[in-house]
Amino acid sequence: MDNVKKWIPILIITFFVGLLAGYFLPVQSDQGEEAVINTCPANVTDLTALNVALNDSRVIGFLENKSIDSITLYRVSHDEENKNLIQVGFYLSESEADTCLSSPRMYVDVNNSCMIYSVYKPYPSYIPGCKS
């Protein structure tokens, strides 16, 4: 029993040294914002923005098992916010049967750091002159 009592202070000190080391040492990871920024080219191209959009789980869930009618790419600039984005638009070829609504679509905004700024699906719009 005396042998165990000698080791208790050493174990307590080791525990607290481990906690401090874990708190102050940075976590090494290949994932996260720093890894994305380091692999992002200086000039983000349309192809880079499309690859970033297609790697997002929300986009994959939207496009899963569906036919894409068209993909559009636009450069969007917000001067007041100093943001330059590439907007990727996915348009599906399927429309709701027996309705006069446009086909589903999704827009993904990718910023200059190869990060997704926003993902949204607008409501379908009414097609004028349509007869269901």
Side-chain angles (χ1 to χ4, degrees):
M1 190 70 167
D2 290 332
N3 219 4
V4 173
K5 287 183 180 179
K6 285 192 307 193
W7 290 101
I8 289 178
I10 294 172
L11 290 173
I12 292 172
I13 291 171
T14 305
F15 175 75
F16 283 111
V17 168
L19 281 177
L20 288 173
Y23 180 76
F24 287 111
L25 292 177
V27 175
Q28 301 295 324
S29 174
D30 290 339
Q31 298 176 347
E33 188 172 325
E34 293 175 7
V36 172
I37 291 172
N38 292 336
T39 59
C40 186
N43 294 324
V44 178
T45 63
D46 292 345
L47 181 60
T48 306
L50 181 60
N51 283 330
V52 169
L54 289 174
N55 284 321
D56 188 69
S57 61
R58 295 167 287 192
V59 176
I60 292 170
F62 176 73
L63 298 175
E64 192 171 36
N65 298 328
K66 296 179 182 151
S67 299
I68 299 173
D69 186 39
S70 63
I71 298 174
T72 59
L73 296 143
Y74 296 105
R75 293 206 177 258
V76 180
S77 178
H78 297 289
D79 292 332
E80 63 275 356
E81 296 176 11
N82 197 22
K83 292 197 186 306
N84 294 314
L85 306 168
I86 296 178
Q87 185 179 71
V88 183
F90 296 98
Y91 299 86
L92 301 182
S93 58
E94 321 167 339
S95 63
E96 310 239 347
D98 298 330
T99 65
C100 290
L101 298 177
S102 63
S103 61
R105 58 194 185 274
M106 173 181 269
Y107 296 103
V108 181
D109 293 337
V110 179
N111 64 17
N112 286 337
S113 300
C114 297
M115 304 280 296
I116 291 183
Y117 181 72
S118 67
V119 177
Y120 56 96
K121 295 186 289 189
Y123 288 109
S125 58
Y126 178 75
I127 301 171
C130 174
K131 295 179 182 174
S132 56

